[in-house]
């Protein structure tokens, strides 16, 4: 298959017919002037060494060299072929817990870093297998669709961080459910779900999700990372540790019992990860037990640069042009291949020849670089093509490769944010837009980054952050009417949200006032009852005797009043709504 990497430069070939037309007009004018000077046959005898063909040949040789230089700029590529290879292997989806509790350092260097090292070693162990990557905390999303591209898997792995997740916690059930829908539709192949977590399941439902995956023919393996004794969770950049709502330091411990139950429900195995390679070896042996099947994998080989061959042709044409002299060589005087003509174009020919040589020498170093490695700009162009076609996951891969080549390229970072936003990975997209706003120096592009940040925040009803982002965008680009409209709309939505909250708080205060009134009425009733009882006692003291039936009635009435009072107190205590404590680790 043949292609041009930068076909836009082929438009320069329009210069070739233009120069040919100019040459034709110039040659015709020259012939007219010669006819005015004298008879053509007489002039031919007066200039025996002049050739009609040498200037034309030299011109067309230079024009061909120029055309080949333009083809070199377009970067011809050859040798790429799409093949469908047959591979025997398994399919593995890795669900990695990236909650804040994975930052605990009871496993060296930390739970998360140790997990990344295990995944990297696992990828190195794979040969013909397919792998996918899911990250989860309070929510889950696919970081890498199932693929045989191990290079991309390692690249995605290096960028994983707890800050990618806006919702913290540990929802193992959500991760397993997403993993079950991430495999291919092939049957008879071993499918494994590897959950790497510290086992602090805050949401529940993990056992049911593992059983459902087992029923669909998948095996769930759980790698428990951490110690059962627990460890504090460090806050990066501060030297402090995370605390709960009461101000106590959070001690995150491995819930080994829950991990074992999930692995048993999923038909897999539980493996405890420690500061050694035993867990890695055990996991490899467990995966080797899965059924392997021959699968068809589409392999896209890289395009090979072919500009070197074109460059050799350019050099040959230039050498030929130099060897064709305007004046006949005395040694080859008898060989009459060309005749001298158009001496006045000798200077023009030499200038064009020198220009082509300089042009070639300047382009050669810049063209040699892509022959061995693609640059960040090439990855960006590749990602833009994929993004326009709607292939957002592969566009994300291209943009990440561009960032790997040049981490300070703001265009790559901004485009990566757009690709993540198109895949609903909003928290990760906001991080990339923030990085783009820091790296970008162009005010208009920087304003676009703030605008996109505002759009993401507004979609999640984070109106305060959205308003601030829109303001920053308008400071850089005051003429952006779309940002101004979003800012006004966001302020209106924020006011509406605040009014709803105030109404809810007001309703709660009214309920509290009603409860206070009820309590006051209860106290008044109890006081009245007590006064009545005291009056009755005084009357009883004044009476000489009291019947047994009257005494029992009074006692039963007091007991009933006491029961009613206790029931009302219990109901009053149960009236305030209980708030579920949301853990952020």
């Amino acid at each position: 298959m043949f292609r041009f990497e930068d076909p836009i430069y082929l438009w320069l070939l329009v210069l070739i017919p233009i120069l040919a037309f100019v040459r034709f007009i110039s040659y015709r004018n020259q012939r007219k002037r010669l006819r005015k000077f004298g008879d053509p046959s007489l002039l031919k005898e007066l200039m025996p060494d002049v050739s009609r063909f040498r200037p034309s040949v030299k011109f067309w040789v230079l024009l061909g060299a120029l055309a080949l230089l333009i083809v070199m700029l377009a970067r011809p590529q050859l040798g790429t072929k799409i093949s469908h290879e047959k591979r025997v292997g398994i399919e593995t989806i890795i669900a990695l817990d990236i909650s804040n509790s994975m930052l605990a350092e009871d496993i060296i260097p930390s739970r998360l870093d140790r997990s990344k090292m295990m995944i990297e070693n696992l990828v190195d162990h794979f040969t013909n297998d397919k792998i996918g990557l899911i990250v989860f905390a309070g929510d889950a999303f696919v970081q890498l669709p199932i693929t045989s591209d191990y290079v991309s898997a390692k690249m995605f792995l290096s960028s994983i961080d707890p800050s990618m997740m806006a919702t913290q916690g540990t929802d193992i059930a959500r991760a397993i459910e997403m993993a079950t829908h991430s495999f291919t539709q092939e049957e008879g192949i071993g499918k494994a779900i590897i959950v790497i977590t510290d086992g602090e399941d805050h949401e529940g439902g993990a056992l049911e999700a593992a059983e459902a995956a087992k029923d669909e023919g998948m095996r769930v393996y759980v790698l428990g990372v951490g110690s059962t004794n627990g460890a504090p969770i460090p806050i990066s950049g501060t030297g402090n540790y995370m605390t709960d709502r009461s101000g106590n330091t959070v001690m995150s411990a491995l819930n080994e019992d829950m991990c074992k139950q999930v692995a048993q429900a999923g038909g897999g195995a539980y493996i405890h990860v420690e500061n050694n390679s035993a867990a890695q070896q055990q996991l490899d042996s467990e995966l080797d037990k899965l059924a392997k099947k021959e699968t068809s994998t589409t392999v896209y080989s890289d395009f090979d640069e072919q500009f070197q061959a074109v460059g050799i042709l350019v050099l040959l044409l230039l050498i030929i042009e130099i060897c064709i002299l305007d004046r006949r060589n005395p040694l080859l005087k008898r060989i009459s291949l060309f005749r001298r003509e158009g001496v006045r174009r000798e200077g023009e020919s030499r200038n064009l020849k020198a220009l082509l040589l300089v042009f070639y020498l300047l382009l050669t170093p810049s063209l040699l670089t892509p022959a061995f490695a693609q640059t960040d700009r090439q990855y960006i162009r590749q990602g833009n093509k994929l993004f326009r076609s709607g292939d957002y996951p592969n566009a994300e891969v291209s943009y990440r490769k561009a960032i790997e080549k040049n981490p300070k390229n703001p265009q790559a970072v901004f485009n990566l944010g757009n690709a993540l936003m198109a895949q609903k990975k909003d928290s990760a997209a906001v991080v990339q837009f923030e990085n783009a706003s820091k790296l970008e120096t162009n005010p208009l592009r920087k304003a676009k980054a703030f605008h996109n940040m505002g759009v993401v925040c507004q979609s999640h009803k984070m109106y305060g952050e959205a308003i601030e982002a829109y303001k920053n965008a308008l400071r850089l680009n005051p003429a952006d009417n779309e940002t101004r409209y979003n800012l006004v709309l966001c302020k209106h939505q924020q006011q509406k949200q605040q009014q709803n909250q105030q109404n809810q708080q007001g309703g709660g205060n009214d309920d509290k006032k009603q409860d206070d009134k009820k309590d006051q009425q209860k106290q008044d009733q109890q006081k009245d009852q007590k006064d009545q009882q005291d009056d009755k006692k005084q009357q009883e003291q004044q009476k000489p005797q009291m019947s047994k039936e009257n005494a029992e009635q009074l006692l039963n009435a007091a007991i009933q009043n006491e029961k009613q009072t206790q029931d009302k107190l219990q109901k009053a205590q149960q009236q305030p709504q209980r708030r579920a404590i949301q853990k952020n680790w």
Side-chain angles (χ1 to χ4, degrees):
M1 183 178 177
F2 181 81
R3 74 167 191 179
F4 290 99
E5 177 65 22
D6 300 320
I8 191 172
Y9 291 109
L10 295 177
W11 286 102
L12 294 175
L13 291 174
V14 178
L15 295 173
I16 302 301
I18 294 176
L19 292 176
F21 179 74
V22 172
R23 161 69 181 176
F24 173 75
I25 297 299
S26 176
Y27 179 75
R28 190 178 64 176
N29 293 334
Q30 182 182 9
R31 299 281 296 182
K32 288 181 179 180
R33 288 194 296 270
L34 287 174
R35 289 192 183 96
K36 292 181 180 180
F37 184 75
D39 184 65
S41 58
L42 181 60
L43 292 175
K44 185 177 180 180
E45 294 179 359
L46 293 174
M47 297 183 296
D49 295 332
V50 173
S51 174
R52 292 179 54 190
F53 304 103
R54 282 178 182 268
S56 298
V57 171
K58 290 172 69 68
F59 172 79
W60 288 111
V61 168
L62 286 175
L63 204 61
L66 177 61
L68 290 177
L69 280 175
I70 294 174
V71 172
M72 286 179 62
L73 281 176
R75 292 183 57 199
Q77 295 179 343
L78 187 65
T80 299
K81 56 183 179 181
I82 302 176
S83 60
H84 299 278
E85 295 184 358
K86 298 293 183 180
R87 296 185 175 185
V88 178
I90 63 174
E91 295 181 359
T92 304
I93 298 293
I94 300 175
L96 178 59
D97 184 359
I98 59 170
S99 59
N100 289 326
S101 60
M102 292 293 287
L103 297 176
E105 298 175 349
D106 49 356
I107 299 295
I108 299 174
S110 68
R111 297 178 183 178
L112 182 59
D113 292 335
R114 180 63 180 173
S115 301
K116 290 182 180 181
M117 293 168 60
M118 284 198 62
I119 297 174
E120 188 173 354
N121 293 333
L122 182 65
V123 172
D124 292 336
H125 180 75
F126 284 167
T127 53
N128 298 324
D129 308 299
K130 292 184 178 180
I131 187 173
L133 183 60
I134 293 175
V135 293
F136 71 96
D139 197 0
F141 64 85
V142 178
Q143 179 74 359
L144 176 68
I146 191 164
T147 181
S148 299
D149 188 0
Y150 303 140
V151 177
S152 298
K154 289 184 179 181
M155 184 188 64
F156 277 106
L157 190 64
S158 61
S159 62
I160 291 177
D161 188 78
S163 61
M164 297 173 62
M165 302 299 296
T167 305
Q168 281 296 321
T170 308
D171 193 351
I172 298 178
R174 173 64 175 161
I176 296 177
E177 290 174 358
M178 184 170 290
T180 56
H181 297 90
S182 299
F183 290 99
T184 63
Q185 300 299 323
E186 295 190 26
E187 298 180 355
I189 186 173
K191 298 179 180 180
I193 300 175
I194 302 175
V195 180
I196 304 177
T197 180
D198 52 16
E200 292 199 37
D201 189 11
H202 299 163
E203 305 298 332
L207 296 178
E208 293 79 1
E211 290 177 355
K214 180 183 177 182
D215 295 339
E216 295 183 12
M218 307 166 190
R219 297 290 183 91
V220 180
Y221 299 89
V222 180
L223 303 185
V225 186
S227 63
T228 55
N229 297 326
I233 304 173
I235 302 176
S236 59
T238 61
N240 299 325
Y241 294 98
M242 190 172 293
T243 58
D244 56 14
R245 296 179 181 274
S246 302
N248 300 321
T249 301
V250 176
M251 298 296 292
S252 174
L254 171 63
N255 190 351
E256 202 165 21
D257 294 335
M258 193 274 294
C259 292
K260 291 180 179 178
Q261 293 174 5
V262 173
Q264 184 177 2
Y270 167 72
I271 302 174
H272 184 205
V273 180
E274 297 178 333
N275 294 317
N276 52 45
S277 59
Q280 186 73 51
Q281 297 175 359
Q282 186 178 354
L283 177 61
D284 293 339
S285 62
E286 290 289 341
L287 294 179
D288 290 337
K289 298 177 183 178
L290 296 178
K292 297 183 179 181
K293 180 185 177 183
E294 186 179 81
T295 59
S296 178
T297 303
T298 303
V299 178
Y300 299 87
S301 58
D302 291 334
F303 287 89
D304 296 330
E305 300 285 347
Q306 299 297 322
F307 77 92
Q308 299 93 334
V310 181
I312 293 174
L313 292 175
V314 172
L315 284 176
L316 289 176
L317 290 177
L318 292 177
I319 292 172
I320 292 172
E321 196 277 338
I322 293 173
C323 293
I324 298 175
L325 302 177
D326 290 329
R327 189 181 297 273
R328 181 177 296 181
N329 193 330
L331 298 177
L332 303 176
K333 191 173 183 179
R334 295 183 179 272
I335 302 175
S336 181
L337 295 177
F338 305 101
R339 293 183 179 180
R340 176 176 172 81
E341 185 178 6
V343 178
R344 63 184 301 275
R345 296 193 54 81
E346 178 180 359
E348 297 179 4
S349 176
R350 289 179 179 177
N351 292 336
L352 182 58
K353 176 177 60 179
L355 181 62
L356 288 176
L357 281 173
V358 173
F359 192 44
Y360 174 76
L361 292 175
L362 290 176
L363 287 177
T364 300
S366 61
L367 289 172
L368 281 173
T369 302
F372 302 99
Q374 288 189 343
T375 62
D376 54 335
R377 294 183 179 179
Q378 295 163 10
Y379 282 123
I380 291 174
R381 285 195 293 267
Q382 182 180 358
N384 292 341
K385 294 178 182 177
L386 295 170
F387 187 90
R388 286 192 294 268
S389 63
D391 192 358
Y392 304 123
N394 289 328
E396 179 185 353
V397 173
S398 298
Y399 293 140
R400 289 189 182 276
K401 289 181 180 179
I403 294 174
E404 187 178 6
K405 291 288 184 182
N406 184 10
K408 295 184 179 180
N409 190 328
Q411 185 179 0
V413 178
F414 176 78
N415 291 356
L416 175 59
N418 289 334
L420 292 171
M421 187 169 65
Q423 301 176 72
K424 306 300 181 183
K425 301 178 182 179
D426 293 338
S427 56
V430 170
V431 174
Q432 299 301 328
F433 289 138
E434 289 179 349
N435 295 335
S437 64
K438 296 176 183 177
L439 296 173
E440 187 61 69
T441 56
N442 189 323
L444 297 180
R445 294 179 181 175
K446 195 171 185 178
K448 290 181 180 179
F450 282 116
H451 175 85
N452 289 355
M453 289 170 56
V455 171
V456 174
C457 294
Q458 186 176 2
S459 64
H460 290 275
K461 297 182 179 180
M462 301 168 60
Y463 299 122
E465 292 82 354
I467 291 173
E468 188 63 25
Y470 288 142
K471 287 182 179 179
N472 291 332
L474 288 175
R475 291 189 187 101
L476 297 168
N477 186 13
D480 192 347
N481 294 326
E482 183 180 358
T483 303
R484 185 176 291 102
Y485 172 79
N486 289 354
L487 176 61
V488 175
L489 180 61
C490 201
K491 288 182 178 180
H492 177 71
Q493 292 173 339
Q494 185 186 36
Q495 293 176 357
K496 189 175 181 180
Q497 185 184 48
Q498 292 175 353
Q499 290 176 359
N500 293 334
Q501 292 177 354
Q502 291 176 358
N503 293 334
Q504 292 177 358
Q505 293 177 358
N509 294 332
D510 293 339
D511 294 338
K512 187 175 181 181
K513 291 179 181 179
Q514 291 178 0
D515 293 337
D516 294 339
K517 289 181 179 179
K518 290 180 180 179
D519 294 337
Q520 186 65 30
Q521 291 177 358
K522 292 175 186 176
Q523 292 177 1
D524 295 339
Q525 290 177 359
Q526 291 177 0
K527 187 175 181 181
D528 294 338
Q529 290 176 0
K530 187 176 181 180
D531 294 338
Q532 291 177 1
Q533 290 177 1
D534 293 339
D535 294 338
K536 289 180 180 179
K537 288 180 180 179
Q538 291 178 1
Q539 292 176 3
E540 289 174 359
Q541 291 177 359
Q542 293 177 358
K543 291 181 179 179
Q545 288 183 352
M546 180 183 237
S547 65
K548 184 178 180 180
E549 294 179 356
N550 293 333
E552 290 178 353
Q553 290 177 357
L554 290 174
L555 181 60
N556 292 331
I559 293 173
Q560 290 179 359
N561 290 332
E562 183 67 21
K563 287 183 179 180
Q564 292 176 358
T565 302
Q566 293 294 335
D567 292 339
K568 291 179 180 178
L569 289 175
Q570 290 179 359
K571 290 180 181 180
Q573 292 176 356
Q574 294 176 357
Q575 281 181 357
Q577 295 181 354
R578 292 178 296 176
R579 296 178 60 188
I581 299 176
Q582 297 179 354
K583 298 181 179 180
N584 60 341
W585 64 88

